[in-house]
Amino acid sequence: MGRKAINKERKKLTVKAELWLQDLFYKLQDKDLDVLTLDEIAELIDISKSTIYTYFRTKEEIYSTIVERILEKLERLTYEKLFEGIDLLREYERLLLNICKIVQHISIHFLENIKLNFPDIWKKVNSCTNKILNTFMLLYKRGMSNATFNAYNIELLLMMDENFIMNVITNSKAFSEKQLTLDELVNQYLVMRKRALVCS
């Protein structure tokens, strides 16, 4: 019979706990999160279940914390308005490169598992995604209004960016088999985008 989580206040994550949480993130990418037990999670990172209970009550709390760490990094890249004199193309490149570096180790399998089985966590993913897309929208609107960018349907551009970030970057196996690195993949996308976007 497995040990039940005791209803008590959990400790704040230590540096060591943050490290095994990060290690766990990489090892969860091909797992079925809904059926994974706390015993199996503990075994994945070679710690005791009692250590997990020191910080978390449930596996959903673990997944939520892992996802929140990623979202915190992403949200630091977003903003609600543009400052004057911004180099729109350079800012677009910077945002896309940094976003891709943050999400590159997240698999489509992991995202689908979260979406299907943990709706509260997925709401946080959606909220962050919307902030990212809003940041891109600001760049597109400014670029089109001052003739830096060609005029296109912004909703279509945002759908393409979302698909690239959420479905292409997270499908690393498809590109590693073709010996294409993340930087090469992002640079190819940027070259295509610049050719279409930038007014000549």
Side-chain angles (χ1 to χ4, degrees), residues 57-148:
R57 291 181 181 85
T58 64
K59 65 183 181 183
E60 183 166 0
E61 283 187 6
I62 298 172
Y63 302 155
S64 183
T65 302
I66 285 172
V67 170
E68 283 167 10
R69 293 296 186 269
I70 297 163
L71 299 182
E72 284 165 8
K73 293 177 185 176
L74 289 171
E75 290 201 8
R76 285 198 287 269
L77 300 174
T78 65
Y79 37 78
E80 295 180 2
K81 62 181 181 179
L82 301 179
F83 58 86
E84 292 302 319
I86 187 173
D87 184 325
L88 297 170
L89 187 58
R90 183 170 289 182
E91 187 63 12
Y92 177 81
E93 291 177 344
R94 184 191 74 82
L95 279 169
L96 190 61
L97 283 166
N98 284 325
I99 289 165
C100 290
K101 283 174 183 173
I102 292 168
V103 304
Q104 66 176 309
H105 298 294
I106 307 173
S107 69
I108 291 174
H109 181 79
F110 180 86
L111 287 175
E112 287 177 344
N113 262 255
I114 294 292
K115 185 176 183 178
L116 287 173
N117 302 298
F118 303 96
D120 289 340
I121 303 175
W122 189 250
K123 283 179 189 173
K124 296 175 186 176
V125 173
N126 262 336
S127 175
C128 183
T129 302
N130 289 336
K131 289 177 184 176
I132 290 169
L133 294 177
N134 183 65
T135 298
F136 280 120
M137 182 182 69
L138 293 173
L139 290 168
Y140 291 140
K141 282 185 174 178
R142 172 80 64 85
M144 290 178 196
S145 69
N146 67 14
T148 301

Side-chain angles (χ1 to χ4, degrees), residues 96 100 103-108 111 159-176 180-182 184-186 188-189 192:
L96 190 61
C100 290
V103 304
Q104 66 176 309
H105 298 294
I106 307 173
S107 69
I108 291 174
L111 287 175
M159 286 174 67
M160 291 168 68
D161 287 329
E162 182 178 17
N163 183 61
F164 181 73
I165 294 164
M166 297 291 281
N167 297 312
V168 177
I169 288 300
T170 54
N171 191 12
S172 58
K173 284 185 180 177
F175 298 100
S176 60
L180 192 64
T181 67
L182 173 71
E184 290 168 339
L185 181 62
V186 175
Q188 286 189 22
Y189 183 74
M192 291 187 289

Side-chain angles (χ1 to χ4, degrees), residues 11-20 55:
K11 280 179 61 176
K12 184 179 177 181
L13 287 170
T14 61
V15 173
K16 188 174 181 181
E18 291 281 4
L19 288 172
W20 59 249
Y55 304 100

